[in-house]
Amino acid sequence: MLTSTNVPEDKRSPFLALGILSISFLISVSNAVSGTIPLMEKYFSDVSRANVELLVVVPTAGVLLGTVISGLVSNLLGKKYTVIAGLTISLIFGIIPAFFFSYPAILISRAMFGVGMGVFTPLSVSYITDLFPEDTRNRLLGWRNSIGSIGDAIMLFIAGFLINISWHTTYLVFLFLLVPIILVMLLVPKQYDNIVVEEGGEVVEEVAKAKPTTNGGVIQLAIIFLFVCLFYSAIGLKLASYMVNNHVGTAADATRIFGFLVLCSIVSGVAFEKIAKWFGKYTVAIAEIIVATTMIVMAFTESIPLLLVLVLVSGFCNGIVHPALTARMVHYSPKDSMNFTTSIIIIGINIGGLVAPYFFQFFGGMVGNAGPGNMILWSGLFFVLLAAYDLIVVKKDQLTI
């Protein structure tokens, strides 16, 4: 149940926005320690390579569990303390491999690190969608992507220094979680746990906890997110192999190209608000068509400079698709269920990333060619279908973005 309330003007202060955005600073950095894999393979000589690689990807499974329980924890503790609890869980379990060196201990700690991330990640979105009117909301959703990319770059940079000491020390990089913990404690008032800004700008306050619910629109949005992440992952999974197999360049060349994607994500996040105003309800479809075009051309390109341009354009447009789809959660989510809605969306995103390698293997067998270039080409064609479907959804559901 909601009731009108008076909210101090500091609700829209830059300090509150800073505190909320800081939650997103470390959302995408669980792979900051991926560089430790070769060193851990030597250390755990009696463990298979696949099981060593599992240490890097197992947080994703933890995120799925944490996302499921996030709403329950939020109902018990409120938004602020749930965020702090999730960040603290990730901090504690994130640094355990720096002190305990057995494989089971590290495996469990990495899974629990993901659980912590799953607990606080949905609230990084619902805080924005609940507290801010549409224009500010779109701006902050774009900035959220940028903040995540900046955090990714900083943490990878720090990890690059720590790994020179030892692979154990690299895990101390997660001490940086103290930064958002402190900022949330100081800058995000507990009184905003139950504040919601309605579409018309009216500020209301929840006075009773309603059981969170969902609907077909939310499930549809989660499935769209799943397919966007699934098909876009073809670039990350297949481009390096395509370059090497076709003698376009080396794996190192591909790594350098991917390095520019961080900058690209930062720019797209900052530009999102203006782009959303220019293209309105066609923002997602236009961005997906451009992604499709770049991926189709990519599959026939044998020039490193052109590949760099195509990857950057694709990365920029993908950085527009995500906040645009996220903004639609306000339209679809039932009242009092934004945290639950966000959890469902995050589950869709993570499933898309998890199944991607197996999907491309299966689909490649179906079409008789699982080559990396062919999978990039098909992913581009699938993006055309996503764009066409989006035009139908925009009209059917009367979306404004």
Side-chain angles (χ1 to χ4, degrees):
M1 180 178 176
L2 299 173
T3 184
S4 296
T5 184
N6 293 321
V7 179
E9 282 301 314
D10 67 348
K11 185 181 72 62
R12 295 182 178 86
S13 75
F15 294 106
L16 175 63
L18 174 61
I20 291 173
L21 288 173
S22 73
I23 304 171
S24 303
F25 192 74
L26 295 163
I27 281 179
S28 61
V29 298
S30 63
N31 290 328
V33 294
S34 58
T36 63
I37 290 178
L39 299 175
M40 287 193 295
E41 284 179 354
K42 292 182 180 179
Y43 187 85
F44 296 115
S45 56
D46 58 337
V47 177
S48 69
R49 179 176 182 180
N51 283 337
V52 172
E53 292 175 343
L54 179 64
L55 296 176
V56 174
V57 300
V58 74
T60 303
V63 167
L64 292 175
L65 174 60
T67 300
V68 170
I69 66 174
S70 177
L72 299 175
V73 178
S74 182
N75 286 339
L76 291 173
L77 303 180
K79 288 183 181 178
K80 177 172 181 174
Y81 293 144
T82 298
V83 169
I84 293 173
L87 288 167
T88 302
I89 290 170
S90 290
L91 168 61
I92 293 172
F93 286 98
I95 65 173
I96 278 180
F99 305 100
F100 299 93
F101 305 153
S102 73
Y103 180 86
I106 295 176
L107 179 64
I108 293 172
S109 70
R110 293 291 287 156
M112 288 302 298
F113 171 84
V115 170
M117 292 188 70
V119 167
F120 71 77
T121 298
L123 292 165
S124 70
V125 175
S126 60
Y127 255 129
I128 295 173
T129 55
D130 284 349
L131 287 181
F132 297 93
E134 185 175 2
D135 286 349
T136 307
R137 181 194 308 145
N138 289 343
R139 184 184 314 128
L140 293 181
L141 287 174
W143 288 1
R144 176 179 177 270
N145 271 24
S146 297
I147 290 293
S149 298
I150 292 171
D152 203 359
I154 292 175
M155 300 297 284
L156 286 168
F157 182 75
I158 295 173
F161 282 100
L162 293 176
I163 200 171
N164 290 323
I165 302 174
S166 72
W167 69 263
H168 311 291
T169 311
T170 308
Y171 287 86
L172 292 177
V173 72
F174 296 116
L175 283 172
F176 213 85
L177 282 159
L178 284 169
V179 173
I181 289 174
I182 293 172
L183 289 177
V184 170
M185 289 178 65
L186 296 179
L187 302 180
V188 182
K190 184 76 169 67
Q191 72 187 88
Y192 296 137
D193 276 8
N194 302 320
I195 297 297
V196 177
V197 176
E198 299 284 82
E199 281 300 313
E202 180 186 5
V203 178
V204 295
E205 182 176 7
E206 297 174 341
V207 297
K209 288 291 182 182
K211 184 178 180 180
T213 60
T214 190
N215 55 42
V218 172
I219 301 302
Q220 171 189 255
L221 187 60
I223 293 172
I224 291 172
F225 262 113
L226 187 157
F227 283 123
V228 167
C229 293
L230 171 62
F231 300 138
Y232 186 76
S233 66
I235 294 178
L237 292 173
K238 302 297 183 181
L239 183 63
S241 298
Y242 168 77
M243 292 176 65
V244 172
N245 293 352
N246 291 274
H247 309 291
V248 178
T250 65
D253 293 326
T255 301
R256 281 189 284 270
I257 289 176
F258 290 141
F260 285 98
L261 278 178
V262 174
L263 176 62
C264 203
S265 298
I266 295 171
V267 175
S268 64
V270 173
F272 168 69
E273 181 191 12
K274 290 189 178 297
I275 290 176
K277 284 184 177 179
W278 291 340
F279 298 112
K281 60 185 179 181
Y282 300 114
T283 300
V284 172
I286 291 172
E288 287 176 341
I289 284 294
I290 298 175
V291 171
T293 303
T294 58
M295 294 182 79
I296 292 170
V297 175
M298 206 179 293
F300 299 99
T301 299
E302 297 186 355
S303 162
I304 290 180
L306 180 55
L307 275 177
L308 173 61
V309 172
L310 292 171
V311 169
L312 292 183
V313 173
S314 179
F316 178 87
C317 291
N318 188 61
I320 297 299
V321 169
H322 277 259
L325 290 176
T326 302
R328 292 181 180 179
M329 289 165 53
V330 177
H331 176 88
Y332 288 118
S333 180
K335 284 186 179 296
D336 310 332
S337 299
M338 182 55 73
N339 190 38
F340 187 47
T341 295
T342 308
S343 298
I344 293 172
I345 300 302
I346 291 173
I347 289 172
I349 291 171
N350 280 277
I351 290 176
L354 279 173
V355 305
Y358 308 101
F359 169 80
F360 290 124
Q361 181 180 4
F362 171 76
F363 185 76
M366 282 185 59
V367 299
N369 181 358
N374 197 44
M375 291 301 95
I376 293 173
L377 171 62
W378 273 103
S379 294
L381 294 174
F382 281 129
F383 260 102
V384 174
L385 296 179
L386 284 175
Y389 181 74
D390 194 78
L391 293 175
I392 296 173
V393 169
V394 163
K395 183 177 181 180
K396 176 175 68 75
D397 296 342
Q398 298 181 330
L399 299 174
T400 59
I401 187 172

